[in-house]
Amino acid sequence: MKQSSERLNRLIKKLMIAVSLILAVFLSLKEASQAAGRLDLKDIQNWIGEGAADSASFIWRYQYPAAVWDQEGEDGKSLYQKDSFGSLFCSFFFSHSPLSRYTGKSNTTADYYGENDPAYRSYLESGKFYEEHSFLLYDGGEESGEDGSVNAGAHKIQPETQESQAAAQTPKQEVSQEIQQPGPVGTGKSAMTCASSSIWPIVGTTYRKEQLADYDYMMKHFYSVHTSTTAGRDLMKADQFLSEKFTLEGGNDKPQILIYHTHSQEEYSDFRTQNNKEATVVGIGTYLTKLLTDKGYNVIHDTSVYDLQNGKLDRNKAYTYALDGITKILQENPSIEVILDIHRDGVNSDLHMVNKVNGKMTAPIMFFNGVCQTPEGPIEYLPNPYREKNLAFSFQMQLDSAAYFPGLTRKIYIKGLRYNQHLRARSSLIEVGAQTNSYQEALNAMEPLSEVLDMVLKGN
């Protein structure tokens, strides 16, 4: 008798469930027929949610009649009285569905947590930014991924011919040139837009102020602008760049220059081919530190690793980790006026960029500027009070390189983010060669670079 009663109860429960599901289907069909003239994804979400909610709530109340889903507030009114167990379940399901982004879903949850949890609000803002501007991080953030570009101050590249096109199809492309330049453009002090030197003769190209005042001319000859950003006439003003003075204010009894590496794991070709473990940007920084120290500067070389976390390469967050590290160094050494972040570029694997500079085969360098803006406008939470001065600093070094060391530099590369250049006016990110260059070619670039830095910092 007892077994028969249990079977009957199970049968009744199954029948009730079946009836509930049938009712849900009918309710859904009813809603669908009423919404036939205005059917869209949001309507589908609503009537499916309501139908499923009614059926699930019915089952819940039947199986657990003592349970009260709705809660009462202090004023006796029901909280969430419109949300049954089923509707909450459906709401959760749709809110985590990729389709929900197209249905105009409410931001109530995000707003609620955002008001009470600043970290959650920051998380949302960060996620939104990188979803909209993920293209800013292509090619490893600051790598150009280009074909070598033309060198500012070098001879004009000739149009492609059938012979050059055939040469470009060879397995290994060499971009190598020994620069032979005529005398400087213009005469007299008024024409000089580069530093004067009593040691080095002008063997490259100089530019008249009238030439540089032409925005189109300046952008064509000196800059390569990534599609993630813009560099308009209101920002790129040669006369302002030339008027900036970068003479160091303090003496060398305290640290003046900081050299560090956001991406310390960047290597040169012989790191692997010849097992030369010194063939990294850190080794390049060590040599540049020695050259500048020999010139009388007080230099700190930070060899901290910012792009490895738990033994894994993580270059996306390296700038965040580096910012923490160098901020601490600056707090301990407020006398530092110059910050140099030394990298190497990433280019096509079949490209080998090398020029003969001062009789040595040299990897070309590339000054890199972040301008904190996208084509839609400024990135408000990446302010840089020194943006124009950063641009002027690299521009003056570019002009001096073109005049005294033709072939040393590629065009200045401009991209949209900040790259920690907001800490000092004399901040520069410098790409030294690429992964296809040898360590010696990169080392050879440090000698003329140290000379150019010395010219600008002494305000010649």
Side-chain angles (χ1 to χ4, degrees):
M1 181 69 179
K2 184 177 180 180
Q3 292 179 348
S4 176
S5 177
E6 289 178 354
R7 284 197 298 269
L8 182 60
N9 286 335
R10 285 198 297 269
L11 178 60
I12 291 173
K13 288 182 180 179
K14 291 180 180 178
L15 286 173
M16 300 263 328
I17 292 172
V19 169
S20 298
L21 293 175
I22 292 172
L23 286 172
V25 171
F26 279 119
L27 285 171
S28 299
L29 290 173
K30 179 182 177 182
E31 289 290 330
S33 64
Q34 291 177 353
R38 49 183 174 80
L39 192 62
D40 58 22
L41 282 175
K42 190 173 179 70
D43 291 332
I44 294 174
Q45 175 182 331
N46 289 337
W47 57 256
I48 290 179
E50 291 173 3
D54 289 339
S55 60
S57 296
F58 181 83
I59 296 171
W60 176 272
R61 288 193 301 269
Y62 175 78
Q63 294 292 336
Y64 306 98
V68 179
W69 180 256
D70 295 339
Q71 301 177 10
E72 290 186 350
E74 294 179 358
D75 57 359
K77 292 184 179 180
S78 177
L79 299 176
Y80 314 113
Q81 55 187 355
K82 294 183 179 180
D83 292 332
S84 64
F85 172 79
S87 60
L88 286 173
F89 174 82
C90 292
S91 174
F92 175 83
F93 173 81
F94 280 111
S95 68
H96 288 73
S97 168
L99 290 175
S100 64
R101 70 185 66 178
Y102 304 109
T103 60
K105 65 179 181 178
S106 170
N107 290 325
T108 302
T109 302
D111 293 340
Y112 175 78
Y113 286 107
E115 291 175 359
N116 294 277
D117 188 352
Y120 181 72
R121 183 167 60 251
S122 176
Y123 160 76
L124 290 177
E125 291 175 354
S126 177
K128 180 180 179 182
F129 173 78
Y130 283 110
E131 182 179 355
E132 294 176 354
H133 304 296
S134 58
F135 54 86
L136 288 169
L137 298 175
Y138 286 170
D139 302 319
E142 81 294 332
E143 291 183 351
S144 69
E146 293 185 338
D147 58 359
S149 176
V150 297
N151 295 328
H155 63 78
K156 184 177 180 181
I157 291 182
Q158 299 299 322
E160 273 196 348
T161 62
Q162 290 184 351
E163 290 80 3
S164 65
Q165 290 176 350
Q169 297 175 358
T170 58
K172 187 72 172 179
Q173 183 183 357
E174 295 282 339
V175 178
S176 175
Q177 51 187 348
E178 185 170 358
I179 311 298
Q180 297 293 335
Q181 291 292 339
V185 177
T187 57
K189 249 187 173 182
S190 62
M192 293 287 286
T193 56
C194 64
S196 60
S197 174
S198 59
I199 302 175
W200 298 97
I202 295 178
V203 294
T205 303
T206 60
Y207 297 85
R208 297 189 302 270
K209 291 182 179 179
E210 310 88 80
Q211 290 175 306
L212 301 179
D214 184 333
Y215 168 82
D216 295 323
Y217 181 91
M218 180 178 70
M219 297 305 294
K220 177 181 178 181
H221 287 81
F222 288 91
Y223 291 98
S224 177
V225 182
H226 190 261
T227 55
S228 67
T229 191
T230 56
R233 298 174 187 272
D234 58 329
L235 178 63
M236 310 302 292
K237 298 179 180 179
D239 57 339
Q240 292 185 8
F241 294 167
L242 292 171
S243 67
E244 293 288 349
K245 302 298 181 183
F246 294 108
T247 307
L248 294 184
E249 300 172 0
N252 62 0
D253 56 326
K254 296 180 180 180
Q256 299 168 295
I257 301 174
L258 170 63
I259 296 175
Y260 76 104
H261 311 274
T262 300
H263 295 159
S264 63
Q265 303 305 298
E266 289 177 331
E267 310 157 352
Y268 292 96
S269 60
D270 38 342
F271 181 89
R272 298 183 185 278
T273 59
Q274 299 179 24
N275 198 31
N276 181 2
K277 299 306 179 184
E278 293 183 359
T280 69
V281 292
V282 176
I284 297 300
T286 299
Y287 186 45
L288 180 59
T289 298
K290 177 183 182 302
L291 292 170
L292 292 174
T293 301
D294 290 344
K295 290 183 178 296
Y297 294 101
N298 192 325
V299 186
I300 292 177
H301 183 204
D302 176 25
T303 60
S304 301
V305 177
Y306 297 116
D307 52 349
L308 277 181
Q309 291 298 318
N310 299 321
K312 295 182 180 179
L313 194 66
D314 188 354
R315 289 182 175 170
N316 288 336
K317 297 180 181 178
Y319 283 97
T320 301
Y321 301 137
L323 179 59
D324 294 338
I326 60 178
T327 298
K328 181 179 179 182
I329 294 174
L330 294 176
Q331 289 172 346
E332 296 171 350
N333 303 276
S335 59
I336 290 175
E337 300 179 55
V338 183
I339 303 178
L340 305 175
D341 185 7
I342 306 298
H343 293 244
R344 67 112 177 95
D345 199 8
V347 298
N348 298 336
S349 59
D350 61 346
L351 176 68
H352 181 206
M353 301 180 296
V354 60
N355 297 326
K356 197 168 187 179
V357 181
N358 281 346
K360 298 180 180 181
M361 301 309 291
T362 303
I365 67 175
M366 181 176 72
F367 300 112
F368 182 104
N369 283 100
V371 292
C372 309
Q373 66 183 22
T374 70
E376 289 77 30
I379 302 173
E380 298 295 345
Y381 53 90
L382 289 179
N384 181 0
Y386 301 120
R387 182 178 66 162
E388 285 75 10
K389 292 183 182 294
N390 294 160
L391 287 164
F393 188 47
S394 62
F395 186 64
Q396 290 187 21
M397 289 191 289
Q398 187 84 356
L399 283 171
D400 291 349
S401 299
Y404 294 101
F405 304 103
L408 174 63
T409 59
R410 298 159 63 191
K411 288 184 178 181
I412 300 171
Y413 199 62
I414 294 181
K415 214 168 180 183
L417 293 180
R418 188 171 61 183
Y419 305 98
N420 293 336
Q421 295 178 348
H422 62 297
L423 299 173
R424 290 292 188 272
R426 302 170 185 82
S427 291
S428 184
L429 191 159
I430 306 174
E431 304 272 7
V432 181
Q435 81 279 12
T436 53
N437 284 108
S438 70
Y439 184 49
Q440 187 59 53
E441 291 167 348
L443 285 173
N444 291 342
M446 294 299 94
E447 297 167 8
L449 174 59
S450 67
E451 297 293 340
V452 169
L453 278 165
D454 187 45
M455 291 178 189
V456 174
L457 295 178
K458 285 183 177 176
N460 295 337

